[in-house]
Amino acid sequence: MYLDSGATSQKPIQVIEAESDFYKNSNAAVHRGAHLLAEEASIAYEGARIKVADFIGADVEETIFTKSATESINAIAYSFSNVAKNSRFFLKAGDEIVVSEMEHHANLIPWQQLAKRTGAKLRWFSVTSDGRLDLQDIDSLINKNTKVVAITHQSNVLGTIPPIQLIVERAKSVGAFTVLDACQSAPHFKINVADLDVDFLAFSGHKMLGPTGIGVLWGRQELLLEMEPFLFGGSMIDSVEMESATWAALPRKFEAGVPNMAQAVGLGVAVDYLNNVGMENIHQHELKLTQQLLNGLSHIQGVKVIGPTDLIDRGGVVSFVIDGVHPHDVGQVLDQYGIAVRTGHHCAWPLMRKLNQVGTTRASLHLYNTESDVEKLLATIPSVQSYFKVNK
Ligand SMILES: Cc1ncc(COP(=O)(O)O)c(C=O)c1O
């Protein structure tokens, strides 16, 4: 029983077959060969881009394939320090970058590094004891010195969905760029870049039923046009001289080298799959299971949910701790009962410290989970407590 979709989702057979079918029938380097196979490969690859762009309400030119969300976020952060001094992306001492205490390391460390490289200051929203962002000081936190606000759309530890609209409005009012980490949202509910009104968005294919090795970076066209590429080489050029080169049009300017073609095609089919089920159906299904899980956990003595205990602005990621048992031990015993959960710091060390936890046990849901999965987890927790003799 798989309750670890926050780490990576399982894949429908259609996705696995699409990837394998690409290798069997269409494998050639996209945008390069003059032969029919290369044309077929390019059509399949660009077809996937159209599906992904459509999925997030974006233009195809603004939808860039990377290898992962981690790469997407690093790419943006790198681009902010790889520009001329007169560029609006240029960061320097006195500028500020705002993140939050609930960020995954992938949306924290690239900004720490950017701050180090440029002399800018890293600042952050703190997290309240009930697992929400503390917005009290938003007006002083996001101020005229703020150049970038990079925030998660849904915490991979707590399930919390921060008030993105409020944060984006504040960021825009001071002229800061906004970056949204949509790793835990894009797979679970409908997202639309126009509605979100952010400047950049990143997510991974493998958490949304797609293959590993494929991620998405979306950016506003006017910004992508101005930004420098972060990878240089084949396929991203318009013309090349011995001492200089010019860049291809979007999105290829940001896709140097032969891309992860089969993976992109697999992601396109994952998007079809999600669309066929319907993102709203997926969302409602996961909310129902989350409610069941939260209710059940609240009735087990010695168990505490870490994060919001109601369904307000939260998704299907539920972290909990069992009094007297280390999360790794919880995970190990649950595994003996055939239940796969994630345990530990979940790539969010500062958050664990803030919440005074060495780690948590995390159950994360997706469309294939059922009420009986949740029931089984709830029924097994007392066995874990018995095993460690911590029953109350
Ligand atoms: C919120 C969040 N951001 C970023 C990432 C990084 O994604 P990836 O490892 O696919 O690059 C993850 C993965 O767990 C995540 O949950």
Side-chain angles (χ1 to χ4, degrees):
M1 197 180 100
Y2 190 73
L3 291 173
D4 197 16
S5 297
T8 195
S9 71
Q10 297 301 326
K11 325 294 176 201
I13 191 71
Q14 291 90 328
V15 169
I16 298 166
E17 281 175 359
E19 207 175 340
S20 129
D21 186 63
F22 179 88
Y23 286 125
K24 283 189 217 149
N25 300 311
S26 318
N27 184 49
V30 293
H31 306 310
R32 289 191 181 186
H35 49 79
L36 181 63
L37 205 54
E39 197 180 318
E40 284 171 3
S42 304
I43 289 170
Y45 181 69
E46 291 305 327
R49 193 194 310 277
I50 293 169
K51 290 178 192 182
V52 172
D54 201 48
F55 186 69
I56 57 169
D59 288 340
V60 282
E61 293 79 14
E62 303 175 327
T63 306
I64 296 156
F65 284 130
T66 58
K67 84 171 164 60
S68 62
T70 300
E71 184 173 274
S72 301
I73 297 168
N74 272 277
I76 310 164
Y78 173 73
S79 297
F80 277 98
S81 60
N82 183 36
V83 284
K85 278 193 173 165
N86 60 357
S87 161
R88 60 170 153 160
F89 302 115
F90 184 75
L91 263 76
K92 57 186 180 322
D95 291 339
E96 296 180 0
I97 303 166
V98 174
V99 293
S100 86
E101 271 176 348
M102 65 170 74
E103 299 311 313
H104 185 284
H105 295 161
N107 196 36
L108 172 63
I109 303 172
W111 304 112
Q112 290 177 349
Q113 292 296 312
L114 177 63
K116 271 197 185 134
R117 284 197 301 276
T118 60
K121 185 171 180 208
L122 190 71
R123 303 188 62 189
W124 52 89
F125 284 101
S126 38
V127 171
T128 59
S129 55
D130 58 346
R132 303 280 181 188
L133 279 199
D134 185 345
L135 298 161
Q136 263 186 53
D137 299 326
I138 185 169
D139 287 348
S140 58
L141 184 62
I142 302 180
N143 61 55
K144 62 178 181 14
N145 298 323
T146 311
K147 286 285 153 15
V148 187
V149 178
I151 217 89
T152 188
H153 200 185
Q154 181 183 296
S155 162
N156 64 306
V157 181
L158 310 168
T160 311
I161 299 173
I164 300 304
Q165 196 185 341
L166 181 80
I167 295 169
V168 170
E169 275 170 17
R170 177 66 195 155
K172 288 189 113 160
S173 74
V174 297
F177 295 108
T178 48
V179 180
L180 193 65
D181 174 356
C183 267
Q184 299 289 342
S185 57
H188 303 284
F189 52 88
K190 184 83 197 141
I191 64 169
N192 180 293
V193 290
D195 294 345
L196 287 165
D197 208 19
V198 290
D199 294 314
F200 300 96
L201 183 103
F203 56 95
S204 282
H206 70 93
K207 294 182 199 286
M208 49 184 281
L209 315 185
T212 50
I214 190 78
V216 176
L217 164 58
W218 171 85
R220 275 184 203 284
Q221 188 159 157
E222 91 234 35
L223 301 179
L224 293 176
L225 284 170
E226 257 183 79
M227 281 163 72
E228 281 298 303
F230 43 85
L231 284 175
F232 300 90
S235 297
M236 53 74 71
I237 46 82
D238 181 29
S239 79
V240 184
E241 308 281 332
M242 265 327 282
E243 290 190 301
S244 64
T246 57
W247 315 139
L250 291 173
R252 287 173 60 187
K253 169 179 162 187
F254 291 104
E255 290 184 6
V258 175
N260 290 351
M261 306 170 293
Q263 291 72 18
V265 171
L267 178 57
V269 173
V271 162
D272 289 341
Y273 194 98
L274 291 169
N275 283 336
N276 284 340
V277 179
M279 291 310 290
E280 187 51 28
N281 293 333
I282 294 170
H283 182 49
Q284 291 306 327
H285 174 70
E286 291 176 10
L287 283 182
K288 204 172 84 191
L289 298 184
T290 305
Q291 182 68 74
Q292 183 194 351
L293 183 51
L294 290 170
N295 279 348
L297 290 172
S298 74
H299 287 104
I300 308 177
Q301 267 203 5
V303 171
K304 184 175 172 223
V305 169
I306 306 297
T309 50
D310 54 33
L311 286 192
I312 299 166
D313 294 333
R314 70 125 58 236
V317 171
V318 179
S319 267
F320 62 92
V321 289
I322 300 182
D323 286 349
V325 191
H326 192 284
H328 288 160
D329 293 333
V330 176
Q332 217 162 352
V333 176
L334 287 177
D335 188 48
Q336 282 168 21
Y337 286 87
I339 301 172
V341 291
R342 175 86 179 264
T343 62
H345 58 67
H346 314 291
C347 299
W349 239 348
L351 177 64
M352 292 294 120
R353 278 200 203 96
K354 176 63 186 268
L355 297 173
N356 281 321
Q357 302 294 337
V358 286
T360 71
T361 301
R362 181 187 76 180
S364 51
L365 305 160
H366 216 315
L367 81 176
Y368 36 70
N369 289 117
T370 61
E371 283 177 25
S372 71
D373 291 350
V374 175
E375 257 166 45
K376 183 169 173 187
L377 172 64
L378 292 169
T380 311
I381 291 173
S383 310
V384 176
Q385 292 174 312
S386 299
Y387 185 94
F388 291 104
K389 303 190 174 45
V390 293
N391 278 58
K392 296 281 176 297

